[in-house]
Amino acid sequence: MVTLLSTMSGDGSGGVSSGTQVALVTGGYDHTIKLWQAHSGVCLRTMQHPDSQVNDLEITPNGQMVAACGYQHIRMYDLASANPDPVMNFEAISKNVSRVGFQENGQWMYTGGEDCTARIWDLRAGRPFQCQRIFQVPAPVNAVVLHPDQSQIMVGGQSGIIHMWDLKTDHNEQLIPEAEASIQDIAIDPEGKMMAAVNNKGNCYVWSLGGSPPRPVPRKHLQAHKKYALRCKFSPDSTMLVTTSGDCSARVWRTSDWSLHRELRHDSQRWVWDAAFSIDSRYLFTGSSDSYARLWDLEKGTLEREYCGHQKPITALAFRDQAV
């Protein structure tokens, strides 16, 4: 096992010690969020997420908290304590919140949801937890992602349009990769040079990004899956793109030539809702409808570990193993 995984540890209190800043967090339809010791598969603690499934999870840049979004709310949980309840809660939202993410310094958070908006929330200390900016689009939002240069938020949804929201000018440009196909997820690689989007027909579109502000140039169309695609994410080293699907698989593509590197399947896996790479890009975590999270070795294509404890489908996961 890679060193980063073998050194993961809890602090004995059901939290993650501040020295390691390592966390695997999963959530789903059983109204719980679980924190795992990734190298052993042991569940360190279970946090309560009442009244809603978990649609997305994102760990804060300082590694101290995890944000969970669901039906009509966003909640923040402290990873460094044994507190099973949220420490921050915002519920003045209609409909489902689909995605959540953070500005690089943790000063603000962004979300997208079925109320046809992307939102920015002020998280600075001493200020009320409130919505700062709203970007309205014509259809429910499934995907939001912040460009690494922090200048644009890409917003995609059921209309099939990707809106490139310029945070400095408040203007937006639009991309329509495929007519009448819902955008399910959008990803930008850590270097900010590539953007990918997957849709409900299983197709994946890739663009090169260049200039300031970044402009997309079509690069590749992949027939990634034969049915519903759910997620796409680039590896930290930008050499791979993972796509997940309702076809019971996660597929890992090489960004050098867009060939298929690995297809990750398991007999009981069913829909694969989410995935996350380790910081060295050697391992991938997946979460699926069979209530298991799994750890895969991408060099060998082997299943290394299973995380068992959820009672219903896992629809979101987040992993962090970099030093802060």
Side-chain angles (χ1 to χ4, degrees):
M1 186 64 67
V2 67
T3 305
L4 279 166
L5 291 181
S6 63
T7 57
M8 293 183 206
S9 63
D11 62 2
S13 68
V16 173
S17 63
S18 58
T20 55
Q21 298 294 353
V22 173
L24 171 63
V25 188
T26 58
Y29 275 93
D30 63 1
H31 297 185
T32 68
I33 296 167
K34 292 183 181 290
L35 173 64
W36 305 86
Q37 191 175 50
H39 75 274
S40 68
V42 172
C43 181
L44 295 173
R45 77 185 235 243
T46 299
M47 294 160 276
Q48 301 305 310
H49 189 266
D51 309 321
S52 170
Q53 78 282 358
V54 179
N55 293 327
D56 194 22
L57 292 166
E58 185 76 16
I59 297 168
T60 56
N62 65 10
Q64 292 297 304
M65 294 201 286
V66 64
C69 60
Y71 183 67
Q72 297 186 333
H73 68 254
I74 309 149
R75 294 170 180 156
M76 306 270 280
Y77 297 81
D78 186 354
L79 292 175
S81 79
N83 184 358
D85 299 315
V87 293
M88 295 174 76
N89 202 343
F90 193 86
E91 296 186 331
I93 308 164
S94 66
K95 305 186 180 180
N96 264 308
V97 182
S98 310
R99 292 286 189 270
V100 60
F102 293 96
Q103 181 260 356
E104 61 183 355
N105 298 321
Q107 293 184 350
W108 46 268
M109 176 176 71
Y110 59 92
T111 60
E114 290 181 355
D115 64 353
C116 306
T117 68
R119 296 170 182 257
I120 289 177
W121 308 83
D122 192 340
L123 299 180
R124 286 173 290 185
R127 293 169 184 255
F129 184 37
Q130 63 184 10
C131 182
Q132 207 174 28
R133 296 172 73 178
I134 298 177
F135 178 67
Q136 192 81 36
V137 296
V141 172
N142 296 327
V144 286
V145 66
L146 177 64
H147 191 282
D149 72 6
Q150 316 294 294
S151 70
Q152 289 182 316
I153 292 178
M154 313 302 183
V155 183
Q158 293 180 19
S159 66
I161 301 170
I162 297 173
H163 300 265
M164 303 177 68
W165 178 21
D166 189 315
L167 300 179
K168 294 174 183 174
T169 66
D170 218 30
H171 295 157
N172 83 94
E173 295 192 9
Q174 299 180 7
L175 282 172
I176 306 176
E178 183 176 349
E180 299 180 4
S182 172
I183 301 291
Q184 299 304 116
D185 201 18
I186 304 170
I188 300 176
D189 82 299
E191 297 176 0
K193 294 179 179 178
M194 291 180 286
M195 178 172 74
V198 291
N199 66 25
N200 62 343
K201 296 183 180 179
N203 291 317
C204 177
Y205 293 86
V206 183
W207 296 265
S208 296
L209 294 176
S212 182
R215 293 279 186 269
V217 176
R219 183 165 171 178
K220 186 68 178 178
H221 168 214
L222 290 169
Q223 292 180 306
H225 301 272
K226 291 182 179 178
K227 61 194 295 188
Y228 217 96
L230 294 163
R231 283 282 201 162
C232 60
K233 288 184 181 178
F234 285 97
S235 61
D237 65 5
S238 299
T239 66
M240 290 173 282
L241 173 73
V242 64
T243 59
T244 76
S245 170
D247 69 1
C248 310
S249 78
R251 291 179 174 172
V252 181
W253 309 86
R254 296 181 184 91
T255 58
S256 57
D257 60 4
W258 302 106
S259 61
L260 182 62
H261 174 54
R262 294 283 179 213
E263 181 178 66
L264 306 174
R265 285 184 178 271
H266 186 274
D267 290 346
S268 67
Q269 194 160 249
R270 298 193 287 175
W271 283 41
V272 183
W273 285 93
D274 204 356
F277 286 93
S278 62
I279 192 64
D280 61 4
S281 303
R282 289 177 57 192
Y283 295 87
L284 184 76
F285 295 89
T286 58
S288 85
S289 287
D290 65 359
S291 78
Y292 281 78
R294 293 181 171 88
L295 173 65
W296 306 84
D297 183 320
L298 294 177
E299 291 180 8
K300 300 175 184 174
T302 53
L303 176 61
E304 294 292 316
R305 189 151 290 104
E306 291 185 316
Y307 303 87
C308 175
H310 283 283
Q311 302 303 309
K312 291 183 178 179
I314 293 175
T315 49
L317 59 80
F319 179 67
R320 184 182 186 87
D321 61 343
Q322 58 263 52
V324 176

